[in-house]
Amino acid sequence: MLMLAIIMFFVSFMNTAFYYGFRNQSSIIKIEITKVSNYEIQGELNGRRVVVSSKEKLNEGYEYTIKGNFKKETNIEKGTVGTVQINSILGMKQSFTGKITGYSDYVYNSFKQVLGEKEAGIISSVAFGNTKGIDKSEKDVLNEYGVVHIISVSGFHMSLIYVILESIFGFYISTFVALVYVVFTGAQPAVIRAFLMILVLKVGKKIRKNYDAISALALSALILILYKPYNAYDLGFILSYSSTLSILLFYKKINDKLYRLPNLIRDSVSLTLAAQILSFPIVSLALKNFSLNFILGNLILTPFFTIIVVLGNISIVLVRITIIFRCICGVLHLNLYVIQGAINVLNIIALPFLKSTKAIVCCYFSLSIAIVLYKKGYKQFGYTPIPLLVYFMVINYSFQPKIVFFKERYTKFILVEQGFCKTLVCKKDSYKNNINLEYNEEKYLEGNGGLKLGKRSLLYDSKLNKIYIDEGDRYTRVNWSDNFVENEGIYDIINLESNGGTLVLGDKIIVKSE
């Protein structure tokens, strides 16, 4: 076993070095464009992911023969090995993946003609992962109810489709069609993982070998990381494997504890809770929030989305048969109407999003370890919640009001901390993924506003350019470094550093540079 581990480590090391060690010396380059967004263009060069720089418009799903140069710029997390600068385009043709994407867009447009853009976007996203027509507000709703995985093709889709196919066509045809589905949906890590696990299970039965789900999961992960080393950094990959492992480890135990519930509800609740155990800390750190509505969301919404998955994928085959396709669209429209009604009901009883912090995740891990040790017979760990509660309160409580000013490029933020409340003041559409601030409440800028801070008040305008602290008998103006203000003696002025600063409001205002 040790020798096998050493061999696998060596193979993984060599494979990663081979992938990221790529260099291209030729000025004539063939590159396939895989992603075009407002921020950057990505492509595939000899099986490696690269960033593409071009003054000319490039189309996703096309293979270009270009004259240019390759610059080595490795980004391990993104999986890019460099940048291709295009000087001139010598030729182009639609790639194999481009043709598949083109057919996916054709099905989406067919839905759009019958049902409209909004419903077509939801159906195409849920059924086969074409997310071009679904907007952020719809994703936020699904995320609130813990079913956002439905709109990105996952192991749920693969398992459902394979079970239906196998019951009709048997092993060989269903396996082939499932492989085609993997390619059609863009070969996402979660789909490949589910396909490989199903394949190992079915082949094991054919050759009369016992099936070990965790071993199959590990094998699929190894294959995917060897295929594309950057998969190990992909959030979708990490969540897919953590939730699947969590289900394998905890589903049966939770199911046994809930034996008094009806079978259908017990299975759904057990599956949902089991998936959360290992994926919760990852989601909390990545998204900086979590929802407690996932049980209700999965119980009520998942059955209706299952109908969309089944009928949406049948439509891929029958889209050219107008009468049948329109009948399917009619059923899907009614189903979406029911889903919207269910969401309206859930909105009435739903709990608000909770902001997650590193302290919460640390407490979660510590409590989980304490529970395991307590069950192993170490009864002293039964008192663990007490110091954890004290730690959580101390680490999250601000004994003195504190204001943190932060600037990300041209966007300004204010974080106000008082007691357990941490309020982020920002524009509603601000991009906050790069903001290394922990908060549990957001206050959006809608004209002039303010916050009460004990005996003081924080006042600001709609752009956070003019910021004042009202101290009762006088005002103190907080000034950004790029906004020079002359002191006319009317108020005191606090000048921030270029990237912001921190004010602690004790008896006096103490300024701390960031």
Side-chain angles (χ1 to χ4, degrees), residues 390-401:
V390 173
Y391 164 77
F392 180 79
M393 292 180 67
V394 171
I395 203 74
N396 284 281
Y397 190 84
S398 293
F399 293 93
Q400 291 180 318

Side-chain angles (χ1 to χ4, degrees), residues 154-155 188-194 217 224 234-247 279 282:
S154 62
Q188 299 299 317
V191 187
I192 299 175
R193 185 264 307 158
L217 183 69
L224 281 170
D234 182 74
L235 181 60
F237 176 90
I238 296 168
L239 283 174
S240 174
Y241 277 89
S242 62
S243 58
T244 303
L245 178 61
S246 193
I247 290 169
S279 62
I282 300 168

Side-chain angles (χ1 to χ4, degrees), residues 366-379:
S366 301
L367 190 59
S368 300
I369 294 170
I371 290 171
V372 172
L373 292 172
Y374 181 82
K375 287 189 172 183
K376 292 288 185 181
Y378 298 94
K379 300 300 181 183

Side-chain angles (χ1 to χ4, degrees), residues 494-509:
I494 296 176
N495 292 307
L496 301 173
E497 300 291 335
S498 58
N499 61 339
T502 301
L503 305 183
V504 180
L505 309 184
D507 295 333
K508 296 181 179 180
I509 299 177

